[in-house]
Amino acid sequence: MTADAAPGLGRFLTLADTADVLNISAGQAYALVRSGELPAIKLGAHGQWRIEREVLEAYIAARYEETRRAGLWHQAEFTDLPELFA
């Protein structure tokens, strides 16, 4: 996401902004942050979560790579063989 792609957004995104980008609920974005899956920082007197745009882009890229690898695994020739050591 470049500054041109999201002109109204700064370096750090709120949970609501992050949820909008990922097309999920704010609660789901909060769960990603709380679990540590999506790195974030707490800022301000009320400790509001902020996600750096570059970190969010890296998270999205990692999910694409994870999906690509899972697809390759499912296409692999030997994925239907039973486990050798159960």
Side-chain angles (χ1 to χ4, degrees):
M1 179 184 330
T2 65
D4 297 336
L9 302 176
R11 177 178 176 184
F12 291 98
L13 305 175
T14 64
L15 286 175
D17 292 336
T18 301
D20 285 343
V21 170
L22 295 175
N23 197 27
I24 59 176
S25 72
Q28 289 170 312
Y30 180 69
L32 289 173
V33 168
R34 292 290 292 171
S35 71
E37 188 174 341
L38 180 58
I41 57 173
K42 271 190 170 183
L43 295 176
H46 299 291
Q48 296 179 352
W49 288 104
R50 294 291 185 266
I51 297 93
E52 193 167 3
R53 284 197 309 158
E54 290 182 11
V55 170
L56 180 58
E57 288 301 318
Y59 173 80
I60 292 168
R63 297 297 72 78
Y64 272 117
E65 179 63 16
E66 184 179 293
T67 301
R68 185 188 73 79
R69 288 176 184 239
L72 290 174
W73 171 252
H74 291 299
Q75 293 174 7
E77 184 177 342
F78 300 107
T79 58
D80 59 347
L81 293 177
E83 290 290 323
L84 296 177
F85 305 101

PDB file of all heavy atoms in Angstrom, residues 50-79:
ATOM      1  N   ARG A  50      -1.970   0.698  17.339  1.00  0.00           N
ATOM      2  CA  ARG A  50      -1.637   1.226  16.022  1.00  0.00           C
ATOM      3  C   ARG A  50      -0.799   0.188  15.289  1.00  0.00           C
ATOM      4  O   ARG A  50       0.085  -0.445  15.869  1.00  0.00           O
ATOM      5  CB  ARG A  50      -0.842   2.530  16.107  1.00  0.00           C
ATOM      6  CG  ARG A  50      -1.635   3.683  16.710  1.00  0.00           C
ATOM      7  CD  ARG A  50      -2.751   4.127  15.774  1.00  0.00           C
ATOM      8  NE  ARG A  50      -3.445   5.291  16.254  1.00  0.00           N
ATOM      9  CZ  ARG A  50      -4.558   5.269  16.973  1.00  0.00           C
ATOM     10  NH1 ARG A  50      -5.097   4.115  17.317  1.00  0.00           N
ATOM     11  NH2 ARG A  50      -5.133   6.384  17.351  1.00  0.00           N
ATOM     12  N   ILE A  51      -1.080   0.036  14.001  1.00  0.00           N
ATOM     13  CA  ILE A  51      -0.361  -0.904  13.155  1.00  0.00           C
ATOM     14  C   ILE A  51       0.339  -0.096  12.072  1.00  0.00           C
ATOM     15  O   ILE A  51      -0.298   0.696  11.370  1.00  0.00           O
ATOM     16  CB  ILE A  51      -1.323  -1.942  12.510  1.00  0.00           C
ATOM     17  CG1 ILE A  51      -1.992  -2.801  13.589  1.00  0.00           C
ATOM     18  CG2 ILE A  51      -0.589  -2.843  11.538  1.00  0.00           C
ATOM     19  CD1 ILE A  51      -3.298  -2.303  14.053  1.00  0.00           C
ATOM     20  N   GLU A  52       1.623  -0.303  11.940  1.00  0.00           N
ATOM     21  CA  GLU A  52       2.378   0.406  10.907  1.00  0.00           C
ATOM     22  C   GLU A  52       1.984  -0.153   9.539  1.00  0.00           C
ATOM     23  O   GLU A  52       1.839  -1.365   9.365  1.00  0.00           O
ATOM     24  CB  GLU A  52       3.871   0.242  11.147  1.00  0.00           C
ATOM     25  CG  GLU A  52       4.702   1.181  10.328  1.00  0.00           C
ATOM     26  CD  GLU A  52       6.149   1.238  10.786  1.00  0.00           C
ATOM     27  OE1 GLU A  52       6.538   0.512  11.710  1.00  0.00           O
ATOM     28  OE2 GLU A  52       6.897   2.039  10.196  1.00  0.00           O
ATOM     29  N   ARG A  53       1.800   0.733   8.574  1.00  0.00           N
ATOM     30  CA  ARG A  53       1.357   0.306   7.241  1.00  0.00           C
ATOM     31  C   ARG A  53       2.296  -0.712   6.623  1.00  0.00           C
ATOM     32  O   ARG A  53       1.856  -1.687   6.021  1.00  0.00           O
ATOM     33  CB  ARG A  53       1.208   1.506   6.304  1.00  0.00           C
ATOM     34  CG  ARG A  53      -0.030   2.298   6.594  1.00  0.00           C
ATOM     35  CD  ARG A  53      -0.441   3.210   5.502  1.00  0.00           C
ATOM     36  NE  ARG A  53       0.630   4.066   5.020  1.00  0.00           N
ATOM     37  CZ  ARG A  53       0.636   4.628   3.823  1.00  0.00           C
ATOM     38  NH1 ARG A  53      -0.350   4.411   2.992  1.00  0.00           N
ATOM     39  NH2 ARG A  53       1.606   5.415   3.457  1.00  0.00           N
ATOM     40  N   GLU A  54       3.597  -0.511   6.775  1.00  0.00           N
ATOM     41  CA  GLU A  54       4.562  -1.459   6.212  1.00  0.00           C
ATOM     42  C   GLU A  54       4.430  -2.832   6.867  1.00  0.00           C
ATOM     43  O   GLU A  54       4.589  -3.854   6.206  1.00  0.00           O
ATOM     44  CB  GLU A  54       5.982  -0.927   6.346  1.00  0.00           C
ATOM     45  CG  GLU A  54       6.261   0.250   5.431  1.00  0.00           C
ATOM     46  CD  GLU A  54       7.698   0.735   5.530  1.00  0.00           C
ATOM     47  OE1 GLU A  54       8.524   0.043   6.148  1.00  0.00           O
ATOM     48  OE2 GLU A  54       7.980   1.810   4.988  1.00  0.00           O
ATOM     49  N   VAL A  55       4.138  -2.855   8.155  1.00  0.00           N
ATOM     50  CA  VAL A  55       3.945  -4.120   8.858  1.00  0.00           C
ATOM     51  C   VAL A  55       2.686  -4.817   8.340  1.00  0.00           C
ATOM     52  O   VAL A  55       2.683  -6.033   8.120  1.00  0.00           O
ATOM     53  CB  VAL A  55       3.860  -3.891  10.385  1.00  0.00           C
ATOM     54  CG1 VAL A  55       3.424  -5.150  11.122  1.00  0.00           C
ATOM     55  CG2 VAL A  55       5.193  -3.385  10.908  1.00  0.00           C
ATOM     56  N   LEU A  56       1.633  -4.047   8.111  1.00  0.00           N
ATOM     57  CA  LEU A  56       0.403  -4.620   7.575  1.00  0.00           C
ATOM     58  C   LEU A  56       0.637  -5.180   6.173  1.00  0.00           C
ATOM     59  O   LEU A  56       0.169  -6.275   5.848  1.00  0.00           O
ATOM     60  CB  LEU A  56      -0.718  -3.578   7.552  1.00  0.00           C
ATOM     61  CG  LEU A  56      -2.062  -4.061   7.015  1.00  0.00           C
ATOM     62  CD1 LEU A  56      -2.599  -5.249   7.815  1.00  0.00           C
ATOM     63  CD2 LEU A  56      -3.071  -2.930   6.995  1.00  0.00           C
ATOM     64  N   GLU A  57       1.380  -4.462   5.349  1.00  0.00           N
ATOM     65  CA  GLU A  57       1.685  -4.949   4.006  1.00  0.00           C
ATOM     66  C   GLU A  57       2.506  -6.232   4.062  1.00  0.00           C
ATOM     67  O   GLU A  57       2.279  -7.157   3.281  1.00  0.00           O
ATOM     68  CB  GLU A  57       2.407  -3.873   3.189  1.00  0.00           C
ATOM     69  CG  GLU A  57       1.508  -2.736   2.775  1.00  0.00           C
ATOM     70  CD  GLU A  57       0.321  -3.185   1.938  1.00  0.00           C
ATOM     71  OE1 GLU A  57       0.485  -4.040   1.051  1.00  0.00           O
ATOM     72  OE2 GLU A  57      -0.783  -2.677   2.180  1.00  0.00           O
ATOM     73  N   ALA A  58       3.457  -6.299   4.989  1.00  0.00           N
ATOM     74  CA  ALA A  58       4.254  -7.522   5.156  1.00  0.00           C
ATOM     75  C   ALA A  58       3.372  -8.677   5.619  1.00  0.00           C
ATOM     76  O   ALA A  58       3.541  -9.823   5.175  1.00  0.00           O
ATOM     77  CB  ALA A  58       5.390  -7.278   6.143  1.00  0.00           C
ATOM     78  N   TYR A  59       2.427  -8.396   6.504  1.00  0.00           N
ATOM     79  CA  TYR A  59       1.485  -9.417   6.978  1.00  0.00           C
ATOM     80  C   TYR A  59       0.660  -9.955   5.807  1.00  0.00           C
ATOM     81  O   TYR A  59       0.499 -11.173   5.655  1.00  0.00           O
ATOM     82  CB  TYR A  59       0.574  -8.816   8.051  1.00  0.00           C
ATOM     83  CG  TYR A  59      -0.539  -9.729   8.473  1.00  0.00           C
ATOM     84  CD1 TYR A  59      -0.313 -10.762   9.378  1.00  0.00           C
ATOM     85  CD2 TYR A  59      -1.824  -9.581   7.968  1.00  0.00           C
ATOM     86  CE1 TYR A  59      -1.329 -11.610   9.762  1.00  0.00           C
ATOM     87  CE2 TYR A  59      -2.850 -10.426   8.341  1.00  0.00           C
ATOM     88  CZ  TYR A  59      -2.593 -11.437   9.246  1.00  0.00           C
ATOM     89  OH  TYR A  59      -3.606 -12.285   9.603  1.00  0.00           O
ATOM     90  N   ILE A  60       0.163  -9.057   4.967  1.00  0.00           N
ATOM     91  CA  ILE A  60      -0.640  -9.470   3.812  1.00  0.00           C
ATOM     92  C   ILE A  60       0.212 -10.312   2.857  1.00  0.00           C
ATOM     93  O   ILE A  60      -0.224 -11.366   2.387  1.00  0.00           O
ATOM     94  CB  ILE A  60      -1.234  -8.239   3.099  1.00  0.00           C
ATOM     95  CG1 ILE A  60      -2.273  -7.564   3.998  1.00  0.00           C
ATOM     96  CG2 ILE A  60      -1.837  -8.625   1.754  1.00  0.00           C
ATOM     97  CD1 ILE A  60      -2.720  -6.192   3.528  1.00  0.00           C
ATOM     98  N   ALA A  61       1.436  -9.877   2.599  1.00  0.00           N
ATOM     99  CA  ALA A  61       2.331 -10.625   1.709  1.00  0.00           C
ATOM    100  C   ALA A  61       2.619 -12.014   2.272  1.00  0.00           C
ATOM    101  O   ALA A  61       2.649 -13.006   1.526  1.00  0.00           O
ATOM    102  CB  ALA A  61       3.631  -9.853   1.497  1.00  0.00           C
ATOM    103  N   ALA A  62       2.800 -12.109   3.581  1.00  0.00           N
ATOM    104  CA  ALA A  62       3.054 -13.406   4.215  1.00  0.00           C
ATOM    105  C   ALA A  62       1.843 -14.330   4.083  1.00  0.00           C
ATOM    106  O   ALA A  62       1.999 -15.540   3.885  1.00  0.00           O
ATOM    107  CB  ALA A  62       3.414 -13.209   5.682  1.00  0.00           C
ATOM    108  N   ARG A  63       0.635 -13.782   4.197  1.00  0.00           N
ATOM    109  CA  ARG A  63      -0.567 -14.613   4.030  1.00  0.00           C
ATOM    110  C   ARG A  63      -0.680 -15.116   2.593  1.00  0.00           C
ATOM    111  O   ARG A  63      -1.080 -16.251   2.353  1.00  0.00           O
ATOM    112  CB  ARG A  63      -1.831 -13.838   4.392  1.00  0.00           C
ATOM    113  CG  ARG A  63      -1.946 -13.371   5.839  1.00  0.00           C
ATOM    114  CD  ARG A  63      -2.004 -14.458   6.903  1.00  0.00           C
ATOM    115  NE  ARG A  63      -0.785 -15.182   7.180  1.00  0.00           N
ATOM    116  CZ  ARG A  63       0.248 -14.746   7.912  1.00  0.00           C
ATOM    117  NH1 ARG A  63       0.242 -13.564   8.447  1.00  0.00           N
ATOM    118  NH2 ARG A  63       1.313 -15.489   8.106  1.00  0.00           N
ATOM    119  N   TYR A  64      -0.326 -14.258   1.613  1.00  0.00           N
ATOM    120  CA  TYR A  64      -0.316 -14.698   0.211  1.00  0.00           C
ATOM    121  C   TYR A  64       0.680 -15.841   0.020  1.00  0.00           C
ATOM    122  O   TYR A  64       0.381 -16.833  -0.644  1.00  0.00           O
ATOM    123  CB  TYR A  64       0.042 -13.545  -0.730  1.00  0.00           C
ATOM    124  CG  TYR A  64      -1.131 -12.722  -1.175  1.00  0.00           C
ATOM    125  CD1 TYR A  64      -1.234 -11.380  -0.838  1.00  0.00           C
ATOM    126  CD2 TYR A  64      -2.142 -13.277  -1.953  1.00  0.00           C
ATOM    127  CE1 TYR A  64      -2.315 -10.613  -1.251  1.00  0.00           C
ATOM    128  CE2 TYR A  64      -3.225 -12.515  -2.375  1.00  0.00           C
ATOM    129  CZ  TYR A  64      -3.294 -11.192  -2.023  1.00  0.00           C
ATOM    130  OH  TYR A  64      -4.361 -10.437  -2.428  1.00  0.00           O
ATOM    131  N   GLU A  65       1.864 -15.700   0.597  1.00  0.00           N
ATOM    132  CA  GLU A  65       2.884 -16.736   0.469  1.00  0.00           C
ATOM    133  C   GLU A  65       2.426 -18.033   1.145  1.00  0.00           C
ATOM    134  O   GLU A  65       2.617 -19.125   0.612  1.00  0.00           O
ATOM    135  CB  GLU A  65       4.210 -16.257   1.068  1.00  0.00           C
ATOM    136  CG  GLU A  65       5.326 -17.271   1.011  1.00  0.00           C
ATOM    137  CD  GLU A  65       5.739 -17.670  -0.400  1.00  0.00           C
ATOM    138  OE1 GLU A  65       5.396 -16.983  -1.383  1.00  0.00           O
ATOM    139  OE2 GLU A  65       6.419 -18.716  -0.534  1.00  0.00           O
ATOM    140  N   GLU A  66       1.812 -17.906   2.297  1.00  0.00           N
ATOM    141  CA  GLU A  66       1.286 -19.075   3.009  1.00  0.00           C
ATOM    142  C   GLU A  66       0.238 -19.802   2.163  1.00  0.00           C
ATOM    143  O   GLU A  66       0.250 -21.027   2.054  1.00  0.00           O
ATOM    144  CB  GLU A  66       0.673 -18.612   4.332  1.00  0.00           C
ATOM    145  CG  GLU A  66       0.176 -19.701   5.229  1.00  0.00           C
ATOM    146  CD  GLU A  66      -0.379 -19.108   6.509  1.00  0.00           C
ATOM    147  OE1 GLU A  66       0.407 -18.555   7.302  1.00  0.00           O
ATOM    148  OE2 GLU A  66      -1.600 -19.181   6.709  1.00  0.00           O
ATOM    149  N   THR A  67      -0.634 -19.038   1.536  1.00  0.00           N
ATOM    150  CA  THR A  67      -1.671 -19.609   0.681  1.00  0.00           C
ATOM    151  C   THR A  67      -1.051 -20.265  -0.555  1.00  0.00           C
ATOM    152  O   THR A  67      -1.460 -21.355  -0.964  1.00  0.00           O
ATOM    153  CB  THR A  67      -2.670 -18.522   0.254  1.00  0.00           C
ATOM    154  OG1 THR A  67      -3.244 -17.950   1.432  1.00  0.00           O
ATOM    155  CG2 THR A  67      -3.767 -19.078  -0.626  1.00  0.00           C
ATOM    156  N   ARG A  68      -0.045 -19.611  -1.131  1.00  0.00           N
ATOM    157  CA  ARG A  68       0.632 -20.173  -2.306  1.00  0.00           C
ATOM    158  C   ARG A  68       1.285 -21.501  -1.965  1.00  0.00           C
ATOM    159  O   ARG A  68       1.143 -22.491  -2.690  1.00  0.00           O
ATOM    160  CB  ARG A  68       1.694 -19.192  -2.825  1.00  0.00           C
ATOM    161  CG  ARG A  68       2.371 -19.645  -4.114  1.00  0.00           C
ATOM    162  CD  ARG A  68       3.537 -18.738  -4.474  1.00  0.00           C
ATOM    163  NE  ARG A  68       4.680 -18.937  -3.605  1.00  0.00           N
ATOM    164  CZ  ARG A  68       5.554 -19.953  -3.710  1.00  0.00           C
ATOM    165  NH1 ARG A  68       5.411 -20.865  -4.644  1.00  0.00           N
ATOM    166  NH2 ARG A  68       6.575 -20.042  -2.879  1.00  0.00           N
ATOM    167  N   ARG A  69       1.977 -21.559  -0.827  1.00  0.00           N
ATOM    168  CA  ARG A  69       2.648 -22.792  -0.419  1.00  0.00           C
ATOM    169  C   ARG A  69       1.643 -23.899  -0.116  1.00  0.00           C
ATOM    170  O   ARG A  69       1.874 -25.058  -0.457  1.00  0.00           O
ATOM    171  CB  ARG A  69       3.531 -22.541   0.790  1.00  0.00           C
ATOM    172  CG  ARG A  69       4.765 -21.758   0.456  1.00  0.00           C
ATOM    173  CD  ARG A  69       5.575 -21.451   1.697  1.00  0.00           C
ATOM    174  NE  ARG A  69       6.704 -20.628   1.376  1.00  0.00           N
ATOM    175  CZ  ARG A  69       7.967 -20.981   1.609  1.00  0.00           C
ATOM    176  NH1 ARG A  69       8.237 -22.140   2.173  1.00  0.00           N
ATOM    177  NH2 ARG A  69       8.945 -20.172   1.281  1.00  0.00           N
ATOM    178  N   ALA A  70       0.542 -23.554   0.514  1.00  0.00           N
ATOM    179  CA  ALA A  70      -0.492 -24.561   0.794  1.00  0.00           C
ATOM    180  C   ALA A  70      -1.056 -25.111  -0.507  1.00  0.00           C
ATOM    181  O   ALA A  70      -1.300 -26.318  -0.632  1.00  0.00           O
ATOM    182  CB  ALA A  70      -1.602 -23.956   1.646  1.00  0.00           C
ATOM    183  N   GLY A  71      -1.256 -24.244  -1.495  1.00  0.00           N
ATOM    184  CA  GLY A  71      -1.744 -24.688  -2.793  1.00  0.00           C
ATOM    185  C   GLY A  71      -0.767 -25.624  -3.471  1.00  0.00           C
ATOM    186  O   GLY A  71      -1.161 -26.636  -4.061  1.00  0.00           O
ATOM    187  N   LEU A  72       0.525 -25.305  -3.380  1.00  0.00           N
ATOM    188  CA  LEU A  72       1.537 -26.185  -3.969  1.00  0.00           C
ATOM    189  C   LEU A  72       1.571 -27.522  -3.254  1.00  0.00           C
ATOM    190  O   LEU A  72       1.738 -28.570  -3.888  1.00  0.00           O
ATOM    191  CB  LEU A  72       2.914 -25.513  -3.907  1.00  0.00           C
ATOM    192  CG  LEU A  72       3.109 -24.311  -4.824  1.00  0.00           C
ATOM    193  CD1 LEU A  72       4.461 -23.658  -4.557  1.00  0.00           C
ATOM    194  CD2 LEU A  72       2.978 -24.716  -6.278  1.00  0.00           C
ATOM    195  N   TRP A  73       1.419 -27.500  -1.940  1.00  0.00           N
ATOM    196  CA  TRP A  73       1.424 -28.746  -1.174  1.00  0.00           C
ATOM    197  C   TRP A  73       0.263 -29.638  -1.607  1.00  0.00           C
ATOM    198  O   TRP A  73       0.427 -30.830  -1.806  1.00  0.00           O
ATOM    199  CB  TRP A  73       1.339 -28.456   0.315  1.00  0.00           C
ATOM    200  CG  TRP A  73       1.135 -29.695   1.128  1.00  0.00           C
ATOM    201  CD1 TRP A  73      -0.003 -30.076   1.764  1.00  0.00           C
ATOM    202  CD2 TRP A  73       2.088 -30.724   1.382  1.00  0.00           C
ATOM    203  NE1 TRP A  73       0.170 -31.276   2.400  1.00  0.00           N
ATOM    204  CE2 TRP A  73       1.456 -31.702   2.173  1.00  0.00           C
ATOM    205  CE3 TRP A  73       3.422 -30.916   1.008  1.00  0.00           C
ATOM    206  CZ2 TRP A  73       2.110 -32.858   2.609  1.00  0.00           C
ATOM    207  CZ3 TRP A  73       4.056 -32.067   1.439  1.00  0.00           C
ATOM    208  CH2 TRP A  73       3.410 -33.017   2.235  1.00  0.00           C
ATOM    209  N   HIS A  74      -0.888 -29.062  -1.779  1.00  0.00           N
ATOM    210  CA  HIS A  74      -2.063 -29.838  -2.169  1.00  0.00           C
ATOM    211  C   HIS A  74      -1.961 -30.362  -3.596  1.00  0.00           C
ATOM    212  O   HIS A  74      -2.599 -31.353  -3.942  1.00  0.00           O
ATOM    213  CB  HIS A  74      -3.338 -29.019  -1.993  1.00  0.00           C
ATOM    214  CG  HIS A  74      -3.656 -28.761  -0.561  1.00  0.00           C
ATOM    215  ND1 HIS A  74      -3.903 -29.761   0.351  1.00  0.00           N
ATOM    216  CD2 HIS A  74      -3.735 -27.597   0.133  1.00  0.00           C
ATOM    217  CE1 HIS A  74      -4.127 -29.236   1.536  1.00  0.00           C
ATOM    218  NE2 HIS A  74      -4.032 -27.926   1.435  1.00  0.00           N
ATOM    219  N   GLN A  75      -1.143 -29.717  -4.405  1.00  0.00           N
ATOM    220  CA  GLN A  75      -0.938 -30.175  -5.778  1.00  0.00           C
ATOM    221  C   GLN A  75       0.187 -31.202  -5.889  1.00  0.00           C
ATOM    222  O   GLN A  75       0.356 -31.816  -6.931  1.00  0.00           O
ATOM    223  CB  GLN A  75      -0.601 -28.994  -6.691  1.00  0.00           C
ATOM    224  CG  GLN A  75      -1.723 -28.020  -6.870  1.00  0.00           C
ATOM    225  CD  GLN A  75      -1.287 -26.795  -7.659  1.00  0.00           C
ATOM    226  OE1 GLN A  75      -0.182 -26.738  -8.186  1.00  0.00           O
ATOM    227  NE2 GLN A  75      -2.159 -25.818  -7.729  1.00  0.00           N
ATOM    228  N   ALA A  76       0.949 -31.370  -4.823  1.00  0.00           N
ATOM    229  CA  ALA A  76       2.106 -32.262  -4.851  1.00  0.00           C
ATOM    230  C   ALA A  76       1.683 -33.694  -5.164  1.00  0.00           C
ATOM    231  O   ALA A  76       0.592 -34.144  -4.810  1.00  0.00           O
ATOM    232  CB  ALA A  76       2.863 -32.193  -3.526  1.00  0.00           C
ATOM    233  N   GLU A  77       2.573 -34.405  -5.792  1.00  0.00           N
ATOM    234  CA  GLU A  77       2.288 -35.761  -6.261  1.00  0.00           C
ATOM    235  C   GLU A  77       2.026 -36.749  -5.133  1.00  0.00           C
ATOM    236  O   GLU A  77       1.225 -37.668  -5.288  1.00  0.00           O
ATOM    237  CB  GLU A  77       3.479 -36.242  -7.097  1.00  0.00           C
ATOM    238  CG  GLU A  77       3.290 -37.591  -7.727  1.00  0.00           C
ATOM    239  CD  GLU A  77       4.469 -37.963  -8.601  1.00  0.00           C
ATOM    240  OE1 GLU A  77       5.238 -37.077  -8.990  1.00  0.00           O
ATOM    241  OE2 GLU A  77       4.608 -39.152  -8.875  1.00  0.00           O
ATOM    242  N   PHE A  78       2.677 -36.569  -3.995  1.00  0.00           N
ATOM    243  CA  PHE A  78       2.608 -37.576  -2.947  1.00  0.00           C
ATOM    244  C   PHE A  78       1.765 -37.163  -1.740  1.00  0.00           C
ATOM    245  O   PHE A  78       1.835 -37.799  -0.703  1.00  0.00           O
ATOM    246  CB  PHE A  78       4.022 -37.931  -2.484  1.00  0.00           C
ATOM    247  CG  PHE A  78       4.871 -38.481  -3.595  1.00  0.00           C
ATOM    248  CD1 PHE A  78       5.886 -37.721  -4.149  1.00  0.00           C
ATOM    249  CD2 PHE A  78       4.619 -39.745  -4.101  1.00  0.00           C
ATOM    250  CE1 PHE A  78       6.654 -38.220  -5.184  1.00  0.00           C
ATOM    251  CE2 PHE A  78       5.382 -40.257  -5.132  1.00  0.00           C
ATOM    252  CZ  PHE A  78       6.405 -39.492  -5.685  1.00  0.00           C
ATOM    253  N   THR A  79       0.939 -36.164  -1.843  1.00  0.00           N
ATOM    254  CA  THR A  79       0.168 -35.711  -0.696  1.00  0.00           C
ATOM    255  C   THR A  79      -0.922 -36.688  -0.292  1.00  0.00           C
ATOM    256  O   THR A  79      -1.433 -36.616   0.813  1.00  0.00           O
ATOM    257  CB  THR A  79      -0.472 -34.336  -0.944  1.00  0.00           C
ATOM    258  OG1 THR A  79      -1.311 -34.428  -2.102  1.00  0.00           O
ATOM    259  CG2 THR A  79       0.567 -33.273  -1.124  1.00  0.00           C
TER     260      THR A  79
END
